[in-house]
Amino acid sequence: GTLSRVRRARQRIVREVIALVTGPNRRGRAHTMYREGVFRIAGRLRSTIEVEWPSGRYVLSTSDMVVSLRTFVRGPYELGHLQQVVGQIAAITGNPLAGRDVLEIGANIGTTTVPLITEVGARRVIAIEPSPDNFALLMRTIELNGLTDRVDARCIALSDHDGSVQFALTPRNSGSGHVTTSADDACTTTTI
């Protein structure tokens, strides 16, 4: 009766979810919605989540609805742009970045740092990230990928003069940090 109909319905739903995730259209909108849902549910349970892509493994903040969410759903944030820029640099200079040292200003959580080594072939990356929270995730990502000997990460802000500044972060977008002159900025501010 009723119990067997409920079991059949549950089995059908499980089959549909499995087909949605593993089927031929898994990179479509349905798959994106599924991964976004997993990310949001994880955010109710924990502050970070790990994800693995061909370029490496990443530690993401479940409160970050831009860089971390996009990385969880689609792969390293703006990886396509990185590949285009690297190609343009090689075309202009005649020299690829492979085997070279790269200075990365605004390393965020490592979604460019790791591919610079694993995809582009940089010898070493000097990764600058002023946000202490982003820096902590960056360090975990570097360690997770076994790149501590190839990445010199520094939790500092770069400027043309010495001093301290107010640095503001948008709570739901770890990639939107900026220097501010006002402690009343609508973002979370810290002095660095």
Side-chain angles (χ1 to χ4, degrees), residues 18-28 31:
I18 290 170
L20 182 69
V21 174
T22 61
N25 190 29
R26 68 180 183 270
R27 290 289 175 213
H31 182 71

PDB file of all heavy atoms in Angstrom, residues 18-28 31:
ATOM      1  N   ILE A  18      20.883  10.814  -8.818  1.00  0.00           N
ATOM      2  CA  ILE A  18      22.112  10.186  -9.323  1.00  0.00           C
ATOM      3  C   ILE A  18      22.274  10.465 -10.810  1.00  0.00           C
ATOM      4  O   ILE A  18      23.359  10.822 -11.275  1.00  0.00           O
ATOM      5  CB  ILE A  18      22.113   8.677  -9.023  1.00  0.00           C
ATOM      6  CG1 ILE A  18      22.286   8.457  -7.509  1.00  0.00           C
ATOM      7  CG2 ILE A  18      23.212   7.965  -9.806  1.00  0.00           C
ATOM      8  CD1 ILE A  18      22.074   7.032  -7.053  1.00  0.00           C
ATOM      9  N   ALA A  19      21.209  10.345 -11.584  1.00  0.00           N
ATOM     10  CA  ALA A  19      21.279  10.631 -13.021  1.00  0.00           C
ATOM     11  C   ALA A  19      21.623  12.096 -13.272  1.00  0.00           C
ATOM     12  O   ALA A  19      22.392  12.423 -14.178  1.00  0.00           O
ATOM     13  CB  ALA A  19      19.957  10.275 -13.691  1.00  0.00           C
ATOM     14  N   LEU A  20      21.082  12.966 -12.450  1.00  0.00           N
ATOM     15  CA  LEU A  20      21.347  14.393 -12.584  1.00  0.00           C
ATOM     16  C   LEU A  20      22.826  14.697 -12.373  1.00  0.00           C
ATOM     17  O   LEU A  20      23.433  15.475 -13.108  1.00  0.00           O
ATOM     18  CB  LEU A  20      20.504  15.153 -11.559  1.00  0.00           C
ATOM     19  CG  LEU A  20      20.580  16.657 -11.540  1.00  0.00           C
ATOM     20  CD1 LEU A  20      19.936  17.216 -12.798  1.00  0.00           C
ATOM     21  CD2 LEU A  20      19.859  17.188 -10.317  1.00  0.00           C
ATOM     22  N   VAL A  21      23.426  14.053 -11.376  1.00  0.00           N
ATOM     23  CA  VAL A  21      24.815  14.327 -11.026  1.00  0.00           C
ATOM     24  C   VAL A  21      25.787  13.611 -11.945  1.00  0.00           C
ATOM     25  O   VAL A  21      26.830  14.137 -12.293  1.00  0.00           O
ATOM     26  CB  VAL A  21      25.073  13.929  -9.556  1.00  0.00           C
ATOM     27  CG1 VAL A  21      26.534  14.068  -9.199  1.00  0.00           C
ATOM     28  CG2 VAL A  21      24.215  14.766  -8.639  1.00  0.00           C
ATOM     29  N   THR A  22      25.458  12.405 -12.386  1.00  0.00           N
ATOM     30  CA  THR A  22      26.413  11.613 -13.159  1.00  0.00           C
ATOM     31  C   THR A  22      26.081  11.511 -14.636  1.00  0.00           C
ATOM     32  O   THR A  22      26.878  11.012 -15.415  1.00  0.00           O
ATOM     33  CB  THR A  22      26.494  10.188 -12.582  1.00  0.00           C
ATOM     34  OG1 THR A  22      25.202   9.580 -12.676  1.00  0.00           O
ATOM     35  CG2 THR A  22      26.964  10.207 -11.139  1.00  0.00           C
ATOM     36  N   GLY A  23      24.907  11.971 -15.030  1.00  0.00           N
ATOM     37  CA  GLY A  23      24.454  11.817 -16.407  1.00  0.00           C
ATOM     38  C   GLY A  23      25.186  12.694 -17.398  1.00  0.00           C
ATOM     39  O   GLY A  23      26.027  13.513 -17.042  1.00  0.00           O
ATOM     40  N   PRO A  24      24.853  12.546 -18.686  1.00  0.00           N
ATOM     41  CA  PRO A  24      25.554  13.279 -19.747  1.00  0.00           C
ATOM     42  C   PRO A  24      25.392  14.795 -19.657  1.00  0.00           C
ATOM     43  O   PRO A  24      26.240  15.534 -20.130  1.00  0.00           O
ATOM     44  CB  PRO A  24      24.935  12.737 -21.036  1.00  0.00           C
ATOM     45  CG  PRO A  24      23.636  12.134 -20.618  1.00  0.00           C
ATOM     46  CD  PRO A  24      23.809  11.695 -19.190  1.00  0.00           C
ATOM     47  N   ASN A  25      24.332  15.289 -19.024  1.00  0.00           N
ATOM     48  CA  ASN A  25      24.108  16.728 -18.910  1.00  0.00           C
ATOM     49  C   ASN A  25      24.577  17.264 -17.554  1.00  0.00           C
ATOM     50  O   ASN A  25      24.131  18.287 -17.087  1.00  0.00           O
ATOM     51  CB  ASN A  25      22.617  17.050 -19.108  1.00  0.00           C
ATOM     52  CG  ASN A  25      22.378  18.542 -19.238  1.00  0.00           C
ATOM     53  OD1 ASN A  25      23.245  19.271 -19.691  1.00  0.00           O
ATOM     54  ND2 ASN A  25      21.208  18.982 -18.829  1.00  0.00           N
ATOM     55  N   ARG A  26      25.511  16.555 -16.915  1.00  0.00           N
ATOM     56  CA  ARG A  26      25.890  16.915 -15.554  1.00  0.00           C
ATOM     57  C   ARG A  26      26.581  18.269 -15.463  1.00  0.00           C
ATOM     58  O   ARG A  26      26.681  18.831 -14.398  1.00  0.00           O
ATOM     59  CB  ARG A  26      26.732  15.822 -14.925  1.00  0.00           C
ATOM     60  CG  ARG A  26      28.095  15.641 -15.531  1.00  0.00           C
ATOM     61  CD  ARG A  26      28.821  14.519 -14.810  1.00  0.00           C
ATOM     62  NE  ARG A  26      30.153  14.352 -15.314  1.00  0.00           N
ATOM     63  CZ  ARG A  26      30.494  13.564 -16.304  1.00  0.00           C
ATOM     64  NH1 ARG A  26      29.564  12.857 -16.914  1.00  0.00           N
ATOM     65  NH2 ARG A  26      31.725  13.471 -16.715  1.00  0.00           N
ATOM     66  N   ARG A  27      27.056  18.808 -16.529  1.00  0.00           N
ATOM     67  CA  ARG A  27      27.690  20.132 -16.493  1.00  0.00           C
ATOM     68  C   ARG A  27      26.692  21.232 -16.829  1.00  0.00           C
ATOM     69  O   ARG A  27      27.042  22.382 -16.908  1.00  0.00           O
ATOM     70  CB  ARG A  27      28.869  20.198 -17.456  1.00  0.00           C
ATOM     71  CG  ARG A  27      30.033  19.366 -17.011  1.00  0.00           C
ATOM     72  CD  ARG A  27      30.681  20.006 -15.809  1.00  0.00           C
ATOM     73  NE  ARG A  27      31.729  19.136 -15.314  1.00  0.00           N
ATOM     74  CZ  ARG A  27      32.058  19.027 -14.046  1.00  0.00           C
ATOM     75  NH1 ARG A  27      31.407  19.693 -13.131  1.00  0.00           N
ATOM     76  NH2 ARG A  27      33.030  18.239 -13.675  1.00  0.00           N
ATOM     77  N   GLY A  28      25.456  20.856 -17.008  1.00  0.00           N
ATOM     78  CA  GLY A  28      24.417  21.821 -17.334  1.00  0.00           C
ATOM     79  C   GLY A  28      23.912  22.551 -16.103  1.00  0.00           C
ATOM     80  O   GLY A  28      24.470  22.462 -15.010  1.00  0.00           O
ATOM     81  N   HIS A  31      23.184  20.501 -12.891  1.00  0.00           N
ATOM     82  CA  HIS A  31      24.375  20.163 -12.109  1.00  0.00           C
ATOM     83  C   HIS A  31      24.864  21.380 -11.323  1.00  0.00           C
ATOM     84  O   HIS A  31      25.257  21.256 -10.168  1.00  0.00           O
ATOM     85  CB  HIS A  31      25.476  19.634 -13.029  1.00  0.00           C
ATOM     86  CG  HIS A  31      26.710  19.215 -12.300  1.00  0.00           C
ATOM     87  ND1 HIS A  31      26.739  18.081 -11.506  1.00  0.00           N
ATOM     88  CD2 HIS A  31      27.928  19.769 -12.216  1.00  0.00           C
ATOM     89  CE1 HIS A  31      27.945  17.964 -10.982  1.00  0.00           C
ATOM     90  NE2 HIS A  31      28.683  18.966 -11.397  1.00  0.00           N
TER      91      HIS A  31
END
